[in-house]
Amino acid sequence: MKYLDEFNDPKLARRLLDEIRATVTRPWALMEVCGGQTHSIIRHGIDQLLPDEVELIHGPGCPVCVTPLECIDKALEIAARPDVIFCSFGDMLRVPGTDRDLFRVKGEGGDVRVVYSPLDALRLARRHPDKQVVFFAIGFETTAPANAMAVHQAKRLGLTNFTLLVSHVRVPPAIEAIMTAPACRVQGFLAAGHVCSVMGMAEYPELAERHRVPLVVTGFEPLDILEGIRRTVGQLERGEHRVENAYARAVRADGNPAAIRMIEEVFEVTDRNWRGIGRIPGSGWRLSEAYRAFDAEHRFDVTGIRTEEPAECRAGEVLQGLIKPTDCAAFGTTCTPRTPLGATMVSSEGACAAYYLYRRMSEPALPREEMNPVG
């Protein structure tokens, strides 16, 4: 707790806010591309403490939320099979497919298990050689090394009953897609520190230069976020568009070379559909040819999947930063954590879940003078 408290200091928060107010002279729109940052922003009311000129736009920073509906429906189909133990992180169990979720499959007799690591699923495969063990491998670059290691170990051990259902997505192509969208208003990015701790920052300078946007690698505590905003606004006011590392305690320019080597051995880049957004070229990973035998989509013949999103759900627009959750008529009424229409309401990193959890049911909320910067 000592080290967390250092990044929740109200005096330092007010000082950073004062610096931002003293710097900004015109409206700027910044996007955070990390669900953890979104939750921290809403929990602490950071967006409401900022000067009116600084707008924070929530981007597609939740990997659970952008997992395509077709992939979720494939997971549901595989998990329902009697010879399968289907393993997933807990935040996927309530994500709605076309007509059910993994909790319902479990309630109907499917062997669906929550695990805390893909290596837990690997151990289940060793203990249950008579079952096909499938791990739902989703996430940004952050979770890719552990998933790659699980497959690497499965191949080394000669396991034939372990596979991954892969829906990995990559952040830099998503930033490219956001910046080239016709309705884009984003003028600067707070980049996800945990992604950069794995992959480093090598892909970002080209994006910053091509689109002339500052890109500041940012952490997740209140002071981290305020410092990221301060640096981004400073660059915008000076007419700069550089990559800065405001999370140096966790991020190196070259990331984690060992993790990158493992990813490059096991995965290859592919195009990927993002739920609510569409297909983004080069934005995902799939298992490489050398590890294709561990791909659940190849192992199981799951075809004829027909998907249908609820017409009243506007989660796709939330993920693109076009609207806030409170702009959706279903938010907090027909769409709640108990009755979710989209993944953004049930994922632990979803923007709609953050607004609902912290009772941000409408805009604006409390006047700035009544709010505690980190309380």
Side-chain angles (χ1 to χ4, degrees):
M1 290 302 296
K2 170 183 180 291
Y3 298 105
L4 285 179
D5 289 344
E6 292 177 0
F7 297 95
N8 287 270
D9 186 323
K11 290 182 179 179
L12 288 177
R14 291 189 181 95
R15 189 182 306 167
L16 286 168
L17 284 164
D18 288 343
E19 288 189 36
I20 294 167
R21 290 191 190 98
T23 302
V24 68
T25 63
R26 52 161 290 187
W28 299 111
L30 318 182
M31 176 178 279
E32 81 274 3
V33 195
C34 169
Q37 290 173 349
T38 300
H39 273 250
S40 188
I41 288 165
I42 302 305
R43 176 186 177 188
H44 297 285
I46 291 172
D47 57 329
Q48 296 174 327
L49 291 164
L50 292 168
D52 292 336
E53 293 87 351
V54 180
E55 178 188 2
L56 295 183
I57 299 174
H58 315 311
C62 167
V64 171
C65 302
V66 302
T67 300
L69 186 56
E70 180 183 8
C71 188
I72 293 169
D73 283 353
K74 287 180 179 180
L76 297 171
E77 176 71 21
I78 293 170
R81 299 190 179 194
D83 61 333
V84 167
I85 298 175
F86 193 88
C87 301
S88 172
F89 295 141
D91 54 359
M92 286 301 301
L93 268 65
R94 289 295 310 280
V95 175
T98 297
D99 56 9
R100 54 182 175 168
D101 57 28
L102 284 168
F103 261 131
R104 182 170 172 182
V105 171
K106 183 176 178 66
E108 292 171 348
D111 193 346
V112 177
R113 306 192 190 188
V114 173
V115 295
Y116 298 97
S117 162
L119 297 177
D120 293 340
L122 191 67
R123 283 188 283 271
L124 283 171
R126 299 184 71 180
R127 289 203 299 264
H128 299 276
D130 58 323
K131 294 281 190 175
Q132 289 292 324
V133 176
V134 181
F135 178 72
F136 202 177
I138 69 148
F140 290 135
E141 293 92 331
T142 323
T143 56
N147 293 337
M149 176 59 74
V151 174
H152 178 85
Q153 291 289 344
K155 185 174 184 179
R156 185 180 66 82
L157 294 168
L159 294 180
T160 59
N161 66 325
F162 177 78
T163 54
L164 299 185
L165 181 61
V166 180
S167 186
H168 267 300
V169 287
R170 302 174 58 242
V171 171
I175 293 176
E176 175 72 23
I178 289 164
M179 290 308 301
T180 54
C184 177
R185 297 189 299 113
V186 180
Q187 296 161 295
F189 285 92
L190 306 181
H194 56 353
V195 169
C196 294
S197 71
V198 174
M199 302 303 297
M201 301 184 294
E203 292 185 85
Y204 291 112
E206 183 182 351
L207 286 169
E209 180 64 30
R210 182 163 62 251
H211 298 291
R212 302 186 68 80
V213 293
L215 209 154
V216 178
V217 179
T218 305
F220 310 93
E221 298 303 318
L223 295 185
D224 287 324
I225 293 169
L226 287 171
E227 174 63 7
I229 293 168
R230 185 190 71 82
R231 294 195 189 199
T232 307
V233 169
Q235 281 200 48
L236 288 167
E237 290 284 341
R238 295 188 299 271
E240 298 173 355
H241 46 275
R242 296 181 290 104
V243 177
E244 282 191 67
N245 184 5
Y247 197 39
R249 69 181 188 275
V251 173
R252 302 188 313 182
D254 61 346
N256 184 327
I260 293 171
R261 286 194 297 272
M262 179 56 65
I263 291 170
E264 291 177 344
E265 176 186 335
V266 173
F267 293 115
E268 63 186 22
V269 173
T270 187
D271 300 343
R272 182 72 70 190
N273 287 323
W274 292 51
R275 188 171 188 172
I277 298 175
R279 197 163 191 81
I280 301 178
S283 67
W285 277 312
R286 65 182 178 187
L287 289 170
S288 65
E289 188 63 37
Y291 290 89
R292 197 61 51 82
F294 298 93
D295 190 333
E297 290 197 61
H298 287 261
R299 178 77 57 88
F300 299 92
D301 183 22
V302 184
T303 58
I305 297 291
R306 295 185 178 182
T307 62
E308 184 177 354
E309 295 277 8
E312 64 271 36
C313 179
R314 300 181 68 185
E317 294 169 85
V318 173
L319 289 167
Q320 295 176 69
L322 300 177
I323 65 171
K324 297 291 197 296
T326 48
D327 295 323
C328 177
F331 173 78
T333 56
T334 56
C335 182
T336 70
R338 280 185 169 273
T339 58
L341 295 177
T344 51
M345 181 56 87
V346 291
S347 169
S348 61
E349 294 190 350
C352 296
Y355 274 62
Y356 192 93
L357 176 63
Y358 299 114
R359 312 310 295 167
R360 187 74 70 82
M361 307 305 286
S362 62
E363 298 285 354
L366 292 175
R368 282 176 164 76
E369 60 270 16
E370 297 181 23
M371 302 183 70
N372 186 329
V374 294

